[in-house]
Amino acid sequence: MKEPAKPRIPKRAITLGGGGPAAGLHIGVLKALRDANITFDVWSLSCIGAWVGIVYNQCDKGKEVEQTYEFFRNGVFRDDESYERFPINTVFGPDWFSTTRSLMEFASKRETYDNLWLPHRMMDAFKESMSMLYDHLPDRERGFKKWDEGDINKWVLNQVMAPNPFVRYLTSMMYLSNVTGLSRINYPNSDFMKSIKFERLFGDEKPWIFHNAWNLDEQTLAFFSNYSMKDSGYRGDVSASTLCACSALPFIEETVKIDGNTYCEGALVDTVNFRSLLEEHPDLDEIWVSRIVDVKQIRKPENLHDAMANLCQLFAATVGEDDVKLFKYHVQYPQPGEQPWKGTVVEIQVPATIDFKWNHSNLDRGRRLGEAAAEKAIGAYHAAGENKTEKVRFINERQAEDGKKRSSRRGAK
């Protein structure tokens, strides 16, 4: 008797986008997917999504979720009590040696001292200060002209600080010395980076993993992978330095040099790599999308910590959202001559209640929320069934709610 054919397992890809302190969402999403026995043949990654995806895939088999969580909890996020008065994660450390060298080089250059002493500018500042003071003296006809805070701040900046040679020197040292970020994470030989076993990513049983970075010299999106790629932006194997390059957000983190080229965060340009994903794997049946950040998560800042977090996350939220919208449009309306893709896209909806703190409670909350969001997406996926169509299908958690309503109505009848 002939045995029934085994159901075909779809070829799946997952995209993990950027979002820094929202990393817990990715971990929760991966837990729910693992528990539902949903596996992936291709991982398309950027920024913190690359860190989560690469750490996850080098963990011991069967312990991926737990070991990934421990990596971030013990190696990146800070305990709540410490974070309360030191709101910086454990890896964004200043590069003391390089910064010291840069400042010494700056101080030893002759051109550093050009245009520090500008007597004519100092005289102009004195005249403008006297004129401003005169304009605010009491007058019988005009009365007393009140000082405006904006005028005072502008005066301090332009008439007090800008012409002062000492202030000019310190300001130029701060902004013009060869320091490209507040912190550095690219230490390939550090214990932290060596705790990631990159060699495990190149086993025959491993899925296809690639992440992006922006090549500042060639002004193009570059890709690093554990398999060779056809994409012209392919630059070699995934490594400790490429992983650091993909998250080198300008100003926050120093740029990374690899083989003579300088890289920064690729999520600035593309957070989900849809184009390369389909060019490399046109036979994909499903693409699951985990973006983790959304504009609804952005809150009005109460301090510089909040403002800095918003600066980093707002672009990630809008770029990621727009990338998904553009991808939907592209696959629905392919260009003339393009082979249409007829797969399924499953969107895992982003919770709006996450914040951008690098502390344990935020990591744990993100994990719970990510797991719940993925469970809803999985419910929508199963509710949609195996229906094949001539067009691409888009599935999200709202369809799961619609499915539940339809089921309840049928039960009532």
Side-chain angles (χ1 to χ4, degrees):
M1 183 177 179
K2 186 178 179 180
E3 293 184 5
K6 293 182 179 180
R8 176 180 172 272
I9 299 176
K11 183 176 180 180
R12 297 189 182 103
I14 186 169
T15 67
L16 303 182
L25 290 172
H26 278 326
I27 299 172
V29 164
L30 293 176
K31 180 181 184 301
L33 292 169
R34 181 202 64 180
D35 293 347
N37 294 315
I38 296 175
T39 58
F40 297 95
D41 305 281
V42 184
W43 293 61
S44 176
L45 313 170
S46 68
C47 192
I48 199 66
W51 285 83
V52 174
I54 285 173
V55 169
Y56 185 94
N57 280 286
Q58 58 84 60
C59 290
D60 296 334
K61 192 170 182 62
K63 300 179 180 178
E64 292 89 350
V65 171
E66 293 74 19
Q67 290 182 358
T68 300
Y69 170 73
E70 289 301 320
F71 174 87
F72 283 93
R73 189 179 193 281
N74 298 328
V76 179
F77 284 71
R78 197 176 294 278
D79 68 271
D80 290 33
E81 185 179 29
S82 299
Y83 192 85
E84 187 174 352
R85 287 295 174 261
F86 194 78
I88 303 170
N89 67 29
T90 63
V91 295
F92 280 3
D95 185 0
W96 299 112
F97 294 99
S98 293
T99 300
T100 300
R101 283 197 302 270
S102 296
L103 297 182
M104 292 179 67
E105 289 175 5
F106 179 85
S108 63
K109 291 180 180 178
R110 188 197 62 79
E111 55 267 27
T112 295
Y113 303 92
D114 292 344
N115 295 324
L116 285 181
W117 179 261
L118 300 175
H120 60 293
R121 296 296 184 194
M122 297 173 68
M123 182 58 67
D124 290 342
F126 176 77
K127 291 179 180 178
E128 290 168 9
S129 298
M130 292 298 99
S131 176
M132 184 177 177
L133 179 62
Y134 177 79
D135 288 342
H136 287 80
L137 288 175
D139 186 273
R140 288 183 178 179
E141 296 179 0
R142 295 179 302 166
F144 182 79
K145 186 177 180 182
K146 186 178 180 180
W147 291 85
D148 182 77
E149 184 179 355
D151 293 331
I152 295 173
N153 290 338
K154 184 178 179 182
W155 171 72
V156 172
L157 174 67
N158 295 298
Q159 275 72 55
V160 178
M161 296 176 65
N164 186 302
F166 183 69
V167 175
R168 290 170 63 80
Y169 178 75
L170 292 180
T171 303
S172 61
M173 176 180 284
M174 182 188 306
Y175 286 100
L176 303 179
S177 56
N178 188 28
V179 177
T180 61
L182 296 176
S183 61
R184 176 184 172 186
I185 196 172
N186 183 34
Y187 299 101
N189 296 315
S190 66
D191 289 340
F192 171 68
M193 293 306 302
K194 286 194 293 186
S195 68
I196 305 174
K197 301 175 180 64
F198 288 91
E199 66 277 5
R200 290 188 175 185
L201 302 176
F202 297 90
D204 292 337
E205 79 288 355
K206 289 297 181 181
W208 188 303
I209 303 165
F210 73 100
H211 71 76
N212 65 21
W214 180 252
N215 188 324
L216 289 161
D217 294 291
E218 299 178 0
Q219 291 293 295
T220 186
L221 201 61
F223 297 100
F224 301 91
S225 177
N226 61 343
Y227 289 91
S228 295
M229 298 176 66
K230 300 188 295 288
D231 196 294
S232 61
Y234 174 62
R235 290 295 179 269
D237 291 344
V238 172
S239 68
S241 290
T242 70
L243 182 56
C244 294
C246 86
S247 61
L249 182 62
F251 184 72
I252 303 298
E253 202 177 308
E254 288 185 8
T255 53
V256 176
K257 184 164 283 190
I258 303 172
D259 297 331
N261 287 315
T262 302
Y263 296 89
C264 69
E265 181 170 325
L268 289 164
V269 179
D270 190 338
T271 192
V272 282
N273 305 318
F274 280 131
R275 179 187 64 80
S276 296
L277 184 59
L278 287 183
E279 285 183 359
E280 298 291 329
H281 305 279
D283 58 339
L284 282 172
D285 297 301
E286 299 173 6
I287 300 176
W288 292 63
V289 182
S290 176
R291 284 195 294 110
I292 75 173
V293 289
D294 186 85
V295 292
K296 297 183 183 67
Q297 297 166 344
I298 309 299
R299 304 287 187 266
K300 61 181 181 181
E302 296 181 358
N303 46 51
L304 283 179
H305 172 277
D306 296 348
M308 182 71 77
N310 284 352
L311 174 67
C312 302
Q313 304 303 337
L314 186 56
F315 86 85
T318 53
V319 169
E321 187 176 358
D322 290 344
D323 283 344
V324 174
K325 289 178 181 177
L326 287 170
F327 173 68
K328 288 181 177 180
Y329 179 85
H330 182 74
V331 294
Q332 286 179 301
Y333 307 101
Q335 296 296 311
E338 284 187 344
Q339 187 69 24
W341 184 67
K342 301 175 184 177
T344 298
V345 178
V346 184
E347 292 182 77
I348 299 169
Q349 299 296 308
V350 179
T353 54
I354 195 73
D355 62 38
F356 301 128
K357 294 180 179 179
W358 292 95
N359 59 7
H360 288 168
S361 61
N362 190 44
L363 178 68
D364 293 337
R365 182 168 66 256
R367 184 180 176 182
R368 292 192 301 271
L369 292 170
E371 184 176 2
E375 287 172 349
K376 289 182 179 179
I378 293 167
Y381 171 75
H382 289 309
E386 296 293 330
N387 299 325
K388 296 293 181 183
T389 67
E390 292 300 312
K391 295 182 179 180
V392 62
R393 295 193 305 165
F394 299 101
I395 299 173
N396 56 47
E397 68 181 47
R398 284 188 292 272
Q399 290 167 276
E401 298 299 327
D402 294 341
K404 289 179 182 177
K405 291 177 182 178
R406 287 194 296 270
S407 297
S408 63
R409 285 197 293 267
R410 285 194 296 268
K413 293 178 181 178

